[in-house]
Amino acid sequence: MTNFDKIIDRRGTNCLKYDFAVERGYPTEVLPFWVADMDFPAPQPVIDELLHRSRHGIFGYTEPKEDYFSVLCHWFSTRHGWEPPQDSLVITPGVVFAICTAIRAFTHPGDAVLISQPVYYPFSLAVKQNHRKLVDSTLVLRDDHYEIDFADFEQKIQQEKVKLFLLCSPHNPVGRVWTRSELLRIAEICRRHHVLVVSDEIHADFIRKGFRHTVFASLSPEIDAMTVTCTAPSKTFNLAGLQVSNIFISDRELREKFRAELSAVGYSQPNALGLFAAQSAYAQGGSWLEELLFYLEQNLQKTKAFLSQEMPRARLIEPEGTYLLWLDFSDYGWTDAELDRRIIEKGNLWLDSGHIFGVSGSGFQRINMACPWSTLEHGLHCLAKALRS
């Protein structure tokens, strides 16, 4: 059994989460719950594999062989009912890298790219920094539950002549696990208007009981042919720093365009240790993940109890997936700047401010709960103190 309660000091390791507060304008000893990486070590088989490969001592150019894809295929087929074609795999250093590559490969400067805010903020940056037109079909919050406004979704596609849609599935930060029927409606609209879909499914392995993740490309061969599926072991096994993401593009023409763009920016062989870690994680990390999901559910239930007793005015949007909490503080009546200042100065906490996910995120904060409960509990006490001050 993995001891997820164990505290591991990450300070002094050049860790983005803990060691770069000052560089980003925060107090040195601020307690971070912002970036989506976990305070848990990777599965032991992954660590053992990295030690084994390190002892070999040579870290030259490395490519995956057929057994790498076989491990991936087994993972996705057994956990998500999807078997990607072997020739569809393209490896990139990260999912955001892949999204930017897809934007450049499949659209031209000035073309419209659609997102659904509040959404993972690098989506909008990827669109704007690549000189495309950002279009938002804002999610609708009804009874503490986010939904897609399909009429608005299609209207925006038609009016703005959208070429590409960035789908976040499961959705970060609101925690929605889109149903099969919702995904089919998205696909129907996008097919009708010849819109390609880049589906970010990096949180697909964090699904709560009672919900099921549907791989967008698995809906039909026709939908598969218009989809770029972005996956990675980085969130599931806490391997982000090893920079390996597995991108699946079944359509040959799209895949060749994507590969051409990769070549144009000078990317070829992936991180050697990242490949070994990914293969080991997908081959031997299943039981570790099940233990982790159980622990995260406990963290969530304890958090809900704490909020009910200590911060009843803070509204938690019940997550269906991910390990990220989306909390609404609008009942306090503060501006985003006032809320941020209280949390930082009076709570000594570093959270992700809701407004960076889009205008519709105003009044919210995103909290990463993938840490030992004692760490999360301390952070919640600090947050309650900040709100009471």
Side-chain angles (χ1 to χ4, degrees):
M1 293 289 290
T2 305
N3 181 13
F4 292 106
D5 284 319
K6 182 180 179 181
I7 303 291
I8 297 177
D9 187 3
R10 299 182 65 185
R11 296 187 188 275
T13 63
N14 285 2
C15 165
L16 179 65
K17 187 174 185 178
Y18 284 88
D19 287 338
F20 287 85
V22 173
E23 290 86 343
R24 293 183 175 231
Y26 291 84
T28 305
E29 297 300 320
V30 70
L31 187 59
F33 292 92
W34 63 290
V35 68
D37 75 2
M38 300 188 284
D39 287 343
F40 308 126
Q44 191 59 47
V46 175
I47 298 171
D48 293 341
E49 177 69 10
L50 290 173
L51 289 172
H52 168 69
R53 298 291 178 172
S54 296
R55 291 189 190 101
H56 183 264
I58 297 178
F59 308 100
Y61 298 116
T62 306
E63 295 269 11
K65 295 184 79 70
E66 186 175 339
D67 56 346
Y68 180 87
F69 180 84
S70 296
V71 166
L72 293 183
C73 189
H74 182 264
W75 182 272
F76 289 113
S77 63
T78 56
R79 292 195 169 252
H80 303 298
W82 176 57
E83 294 188 18
Q86 183 166 348
D87 61 359
S88 66
L89 177 63
V90 183
I91 293 177
T92 71
V95 165
V96 173
F97 185 99
I99 289 170
C100 291
T101 301
I103 288 171
R104 292 193 302 272
F106 307 132
T107 67
H108 297 99
D111 282 348
V113 177
L114 182 67
I115 64 175
S116 294
Q117 292 180 332
V119 73
Y120 182 52
Y121 46 90
F123 277 23
S124 58
L125 289 175
V127 176
K128 293 176 182 177
Q129 290 176 346
N130 282 291
H131 310 293
R132 272 59 171 176
K133 182 179 181 181
L134 180 68
V135 180
D136 171 40
S137 178
T138 306
L139 299 178
V140 177
L141 181 58
R142 293 193 180 97
D143 301 323
D144 297 341
H145 183 81
Y146 279 91
E147 299 175 359
I148 299 166
D149 183 340
F150 286 103
D152 179 74
F153 184 84
E154 185 164 20
Q155 184 180 41
K156 293 285 174 60
I157 287 176
Q158 291 178 290
Q159 287 181 347
E160 304 293 343
K161 297 180 172 58
V162 167
K163 303 296 184 185
L164 187 125
F165 171 51
L166 300 181
L167 170 65
C168 196
S169 178
H171 193 94
N172 169 16
V174 308
R176 274 301 317 276
V177 175
W178 305 115
T179 64
R180 183 179 180 85
S181 61
E182 287 172 316
L183 294 174
L184 282 169
R185 289 190 70 181
I186 291 172
E188 177 190 355
I189 293 169
C190 288
R191 280 190 67 198
R192 187 183 308 138
H193 300 288
H194 309 289
V195 175
L196 292 176
V197 177
V198 177
S199 185
D200 175 1
E201 306 192 16
I202 198 169
H203 290 278
D205 292 315
F206 295 97
I207 308 297
R208 295 180 65 200
K209 288 185 178 180
F211 302 95
R212 180 176 177 81
H213 175 72
T214 301
V215 177
F216 188 76
S218 73
L219 293 171
S220 74
E222 294 76 19
I223 295 168
D224 188 16
M226 56 181 254
T227 303
V228 175
T229 305
C230 300
T231 75
S234 53
K235 293 293 181 281
T236 305
F237 303 106
N238 211 23
L239 303 177
L242 292 176
Q243 297 193 323
V244 165
S245 291
N246 300 299
I247 314 303
F248 298 94
I249 310 172
S250 293
D251 183 82
R252 181 178 177 181
E253 182 179 351
L254 293 180
R255 189 168 63 252
E256 288 179 351
K257 286 183 178 180
F258 188 89
R259 287 190 182 278
E261 189 59 40
L262 277 182
S263 179
V265 298
Y267 181 76
S268 53
Q269 283 73 32
N271 181 314
L273 292 180
L275 286 178
F276 298 136
Q279 184 167 340
S280 176
Y282 283 122
Q284 303 178 74
S287 59
W288 178 91
L289 177 61
E290 294 306 318
E291 293 176 19
L292 171 63
L293 293 174
F294 180 78
Y295 189 86
L296 292 174
E297 181 65 26
Q298 290 181 310
N299 271 7
L300 174 60
Q301 296 305 325
K302 292 174 184 176
T303 298
K304 289 168 66 175
F306 186 96
L307 292 172
S308 177
Q309 183 165 343
E310 302 294 336
M311 291 180 279
R313 295 172 65 187
R315 180 174 59 147
L316 173 67
I317 304 302
E318 186 81 16
E320 299 170 355
T322 84
Y323 53 72
L324 305 166
L325 303 179
W326 189 234
L327 277 169
D328 181 6
F329 296 95
S330 57
D331 190 51
Y332 289 85
W334 298 318
T335 65
D336 289 322
E338 289 170 333
L339 178 60
D340 289 346
R341 188 168 55 251
R342 279 180 168 272
I343 290 172
I344 297 167
E345 295 179 359
K346 298 183 182 297
N348 195 38
L349 295 174
W350 184 359
L351 312 181
D352 261 340
S353 306
H355 56 85
I356 67 175
F357 297 89
V359 174
S360 52
S362 178
F364 287 80
Q365 297 279 325
R366 193 189 76 171
I367 301 176
N368 178 355
M369 67 169 180
C371 58
W373 167 246
S374 60
T375 301
L376 181 56
E377 183 181 33
H378 176 58
L380 291 171
H381 278 289
C382 291
L383 180 59
K385 175 184 175 183
L387 298 179
R388 286 195 299 265
S389 297

